[in-house]
Amino acid sequence: MDKKILTQRQEEVFEFIRKRSEETRLPPTVREIGEAFNISSTNGVRSILGALIKKGHIKRSPRLSRGIELIEVAPKPSLGEQLGVEIPILGRIAAGQPILAVQNLEGTVTVDRDFLARQTNVFALRVKGDSMVQAGILDGDLVFARQQNSAEDGQIIAALVDDEATVKYYKPKDSSVELHSANPIYAPIIVTPDRHFSIAGRIIGVMRKVN
Amino acid sequence: MDKKILTQRQEEVFEFIRKRSEETRLPPTVREIGEAFNISSTNGVRSILGALIKKGHIKRSPRLSRGIELIEVAPKPSLGEQLGVEIPILGRIAAGQPILAVQNLEGTVTVDRDFLARQTNVFALRVKGDSMVQAGILDGDLVFARQQNSAEDGQIIAALVDDEATVKYYKPKDSSVELHSANPIYAPIIVTPDRHFSIAGRIIGVMRKVN
DNA sequence: GAATATACTGCACGAATGGTTACTTGTCAA
DNA sequence: TTGACAAGTAACCATTCGTGCAGTATATTC
């Protein structure tokens, strides 16, 4: 007998236990399994459970009610140690108000925790226009930015210029700031001190859906 | 009586239930709570549980063993309805063996469920080279592909040519298949029928970490 | 001072649950 | 054809578990 191959019935019952454990957060009792499959005797269920134990798919704590535990090859992370992090997507960014204000929220994306290198204060923006195509950032892409109000020369940033949010290369000059596109057909934006300017964050990632 | 403020004892018991529910995945029975707090009578526990119910912190299913359910202000998504989906990252792809074979796995990424439009059989690949920069796919990017063995003219696919995996534009011809780069300095790969060729999947997304 | 809430003890009932024994039926491989 | 395995039925026992009732002690509130 192959240790891993389950019969049809065993597969069904295993699936049932898995669903119950995940959805209702309560593993079923022996009788509840019986009811679900129209097995009138507890022993009918027990024979299947016995096989699942022998084949190493479940574990049981004797005499403990609902003491069926799944043995999964790739154990799902408990709620405390999620693999994904929820990042807020900002619709419009307006100067003078906190970036992450609720009224700006457009939704959230879940991204891999490692993808963001466990950084905090990250938000996402939908890119409009093709000014950064040469940097691999296309129209409609979702960019991830870490909130910070300063940046280094040459970094890609999300900036606020006169209440307008843009994603550009940051080029600080002596008396002004230049925001360069990656696309040469666009002239750099030169931000003179009389204009409203602030750095919203530094771009740390890009995500795109391809049709 | 404030509906929300718990007494010390109630707080302790609530914490115990929460820990048990999350860690062992099994809410405790009335008697198990009693044992944990040295309460010899089940009614002692019941009076505390009653208070927790009245104050809206837990819910109970009558006569159901372990039928204590936490009522949380921000309910965590149950495992069944995660916001993120784990996608396997494939190291090398070899022809003649199932794509998703375990030995190919390099790890997993968690991505938003909506990002992939709830599609199944999705895998991820690390892009090598700059042949697709004009399509916004850079060296080192992670591309997501949906497993399929056919594609339409002009789509970006992950293809296997002579045991080598590449990401290219798909251009089927009468007697051969052409794989075009987005970068004009690379000549198209012309796949004649004598070569091993298969489509691994169609590219549906891109993800990049920016430094 | 009475009413109310909290936090118990102690006991007992019945339903829910796990376990066992005995027996049956069908399939499949040696 | 025999034997192992799977998947049951049926009846029954023992334990676990939720619940109900009676009662106590303390603190808080009106």
Side-chain angles (χ1 to χ4, degrees):
Chain A
M1 175 202 64
D2 195 306
K3 278 282 165 195
K4 283 174 188 174
I5 288 173
L6 297 182
T7 66
Q8 167 126 31
R9 201 58 162 166
Q10 287 164 9
E11 184 67 41
E12 282 169 23
V13 172
F14 182 76
E15 264 311 294
F16 175 78
I17 298 171
R18 205 181 51 72
K19 277 208 177 123
R20 271 295 189 87
S21 305
E22 288 186 359
E23 284 170 15
T24 72
R25 280 282 212 299
L26 272 184
T29 62
V30 175
R31 280 176 180 82
E32 281 171 0
I33 298 172
E35 280 163 38
F37 292 94
N38 277 317
I39 300 171
S40 67
S41 170
T42 57
N43 215 23
V45 178
R46 281 175 61 74
S47 73
I48 299 173
L49 293 182
L52 286 173
I53 292 172
K54 245 198 325 198
K55 293 180 182 176
H57 286 73
I58 60 170
K59 222 172 27 179
R60 290 195 75 189
S61 308
R63 294 175 187 278
L64 187 65
S65 76
R66 306 183 185 277
I68 301 176
E69 207 179 320
L70 298 180
I71 299 172
E72 304 205 54
V73 255
K76 293 194 172 150
S78 82
L79 291 174
E81 42 180 58
Q82 293 274 30
L83 290 172
V85 180
E86 262 186 88
I87 303 294
I89 304 176
L90 271 48
R92 62 218 150 74
I93 307 183
Q97 60 172 245
I99 291 268
L100 290 174
V102 188
Q103 63 264 39
N104 292 340
L105 287 179
E106 206 179 55
T108 58
V109 229
T110 302
V111 294
D112 198 279
R113 203 173 46 172
D114 288 334
F115 175 67
L116 298 177
R118 289 180 179 71
Q119 299 184 79
T120 48
N121 292 322
V122 175
F123 61 92
L125 278 180
R126 186 73 60 184
V127 172
K128 290 186 187 98
D130 59 351
S131 70
M132 295 298 280
V133 283
Q134 271 76 1
I137 301 175
L138 314 190
D139 188 34
D141 282 10
L142 208 58
V143 291
F144 297 96
R146 186 183 60 224
Q147 255 192 89
Q148 53 187 56
N149 41 35
S150 65
E152 285 170 39
D153 193 344
Q155 289 183 336
I156 302 178
I157 60 164
L160 285 171
V161 185
D162 296 338
D163 269 25
E164 192 85 24
T166 37
V167 174
K168 291 280 185 301
Y169 282 114
Y170 179 61
K171 292 278 176 184
K173 301 289 170 183
D174 284 343
S175 61
S176 66
V177 166
E178 287 184 20
L179 299 176
H180 288 229
S181 295
N183 195 331
I185 68 169
Y186 292 99
I189 300 172
I190 291 150
V191 184
T192 45
D194 59 309
R195 298 174 73 177
H196 292 292
F197 171 79
S198 66
I199 296 174
R202 181 190 155 200
I203 304 300
I204 56 169
V206 184
M207 203 160 129
R208 179 186 317 136
K209 205 185 287 196
V210 179
N211 296 316
Chain B
M1 176 202 63
D2 197 305
K3 278 282 167 197
K4 282 172 187 174
I5 287 174
L6 297 183
T7 65
Q8 166 125 31
R9 200 59 160 167
Q10 288 164 8
E11 184 66 42
E12 281 170 25
V13 172
F14 182 76
E15 264 311 292
F16 175 77
I17 297 171
R18 204 181 52 71
K19 275 209 179 119
R20 270 294 189 88
S21 303
E22 285 187 2
E23 285 170 16
T24 72
R25 281 285 207 293
L26 270 184
T29 63
V30 176
R31 280 176 179 80
E32 280 170 1
I33 297 172
E35 280 163 38
F37 291 93
N38 278 317
I39 301 172
S40 66
S41 170
T42 56
N43 230 13
V45 177
R46 281 171 62 75
S47 74
I48 299 174
L49 292 182
L52 286 173
I53 291 173
K54 245 200 322 197
K55 294 182 182 177
H57 286 72
I58 61 171
K59 217 168 37 175
R60 292 195 75 188
S61 307
R63 292 169 192 284
L64 187 65
S65 77
R66 304 182 187 281
I68 302 176
E69 208 179 319
L70 298 180
I71 299 173
E72 304 206 55
V73 254
K76 290 176 182 166
S78 86
L79 291 174
E81 43 181 58
Q82 292 275 33
L83 291 172
V85 180
E86 261 185 88
I87 304 294
I89 305 176
L90 270 48
R92 60 217 152 75
I93 306 183
Q97 61 172 244
I99 291 266
L100 289 175
V102 188
Q103 62 265 38
N104 292 339
L105 287 180
E106 206 179 55
T108 58
V109 227
T110 301
V111 294
D112 197 279
R113 201 174 50 173
D114 289 333
F115 176 66
L116 299 176
R118 288 181 181 73
Q119 298 183 81
T120 47
N121 291 322
V122 175
F123 60 92
L125 278 179
R126 186 72 61 183
V127 171
K128 290 187 185 97
D130 58 351
S131 71
M132 294 299 280
V133 284
Q134 271 76 0
I137 301 175
L138 314 190
D139 187 34
D141 282 9
L142 207 57
V143 292
F144 297 96
R146 187 183 60 225
Q147 253 190 94
Q148 53 186 55
N149 40 36
S150 65
E152 286 171 40
D153 193 345
Q155 289 182 338
I156 302 177
I157 60 163
L160 285 171
V161 185
D162 297 335
D163 269 26
E164 193 84 24
T166 37
V167 174
K168 291 280 185 299
Y169 282 113
Y170 180 60
K171 292 278 176 184
K173 302 288 170 186
D174 286 342
S175 61
S176 66
V177 166
E178 288 183 20
L179 298 176
H180 288 229
S181 295
N183 196 331
I185 67 169
Y186 292 99
I189 300 173
I190 291 149
V191 184
T192 46
D194 59 309
R195 298 174 73 177
H196 292 292
F197 170 77
S198 66
I199 296 175
R202 180 190 155 201
I203 304 301
I204 56 169
V206 184
M207 205 160 127
R208 178 188 318 137
K209 204 186 288 198
V210 178
N211 296 317

